Amino acid sequence: IIQVPTCVMRMALNNNNMISVFGQKLSLKYVIVDSLIILVTLFSVIYADETNDGEPDEVALLLSHFNLLVLTNITTIIFYGKSQRWPLNFTQPLIFVMISFRCTLLGKILSLFTVIVSAILLILFPVPSFPSVTGKYAVGVADIFLSVGVESKEEEVALGTDYTVEDGKSFVSVRLLYPTSECSNSGISYIKTEYCDQFNASANGPPLDKLGILLHGWSLVDIPVKRNAKPLYIGPNTMPLAFYSHGLTGSSSLYSYQAISLASEGYLVMCLEHRDGSAFGTKKECGEVVKFDRSPSLMGEEEEILYRRNQINIRTNEIIIACRSLLALNDNDDDALRELGISFRNVLDKRGVLACGHSMGAGTAVCVASRIPNLISGIIAHEPTLNWMP
């Protein structure tokens, strides 16, 4: 009862190696893993039943079959870890108790409780899916370190200490999404498991910060994009531009639906990974990771507001500098894009950039618009943190 719903419910989406079970598309790899776990669990229970004669001695039963119970849990943890999926492991410790006291009233109560907990967990952690995108175009994606020009010492200081500027140049980590004619199904995860771990660690304190596996279900979801696809040529200087700024404990991938929706309508969308400490983990071009900054949450209200305003100021400078490079793609190819065979020359509409963001990112979008109003064609601000705006 505990494991079978896990096997049926944990579907892997957009997987090439699929089979149909009760009308549901399941990944063959995950079905094999689940089946193995079920077999080991059943073997433990059946073996314990067959070797238990007469009245059960609960303590002796627990000790004599402790090795089988340990094997069950080890198998579950190892194989679910390899498949990087949510395993409902919370119910595993209850199997120890349930088998040990299964013939008593306590055992029956615990058995019922275990089934209820399993059902609740399946409801709380349903099969993840990505909302359908109904735009006119398929979508391509490129994750690059975009070369940006830093025009003054003031701009270098405004970027903060996590940027390295050499000869007036630096790099920002961006995800570019854009219309393409190629099939948008390349098996790109919504959020990688390593990012799930970082997100969980940034959002929770001990001991929950170590339980990133709770969010690994996000990695099961494939987003409908084609990596490094060729941009679709719609016409000269007709592709509109937009940027999306993520919120606190966010990332460029967390807002995939919003960005993909815009790209499917013909936009070139730039999602920037901010390095002000508000992201759950931003990788720099050197390989280092800018970790989430927890210090503001330990401050007083007024002190935190001042700190957040400084962060939004850094974010604003990041986007302004990145927008200059984004507009320049119409005239010159970026080195990173050239290596991928991607070019936006003579296709971009340089008349303005749509500023988008959520929460802290929405506040950032408004600040960018106030700083460079002539380059901003419009603003989409989802739940802006107005009191954090400098």
Side-chain angles (χ1 to χ4, degrees), residues 88-156:
L88 301 184
N89 269 337
F90 284 159
T91 62
Q92 290 297 315
L94 295 175
I95 294 179
F96 280 84
V97 182
M98 187 177 66
I99 294 180
S100 303
F101 300 95
R102 69 193 186 288
C103 296
T104 64
L105 177 60
L106 175 62
K108 294 176 182 179
I109 294 174
L110 289 174
S111 299
L112 179 60
F113 177 71
T114 302
V115 174
I116 293 174
V117 169
S118 299
I120 291 174
L121 287 173
L122 287 171
I123 294 172
L124 292 178
F125 299 92
V127 177
S129 61
F130 195 85
S132 59
V133 178
T134 58
K136 296 179 289 185
Y137 307 109
V139 177
V141 62
D143 295 308
I144 65 168
F145 292 105
L146 180 67
S147 176
V148 296
V150 182
E151 298 179 349
S152 66
K153 187 66 176 179
E154 289 75 16
E155 280 193 348
E156 180 178 350

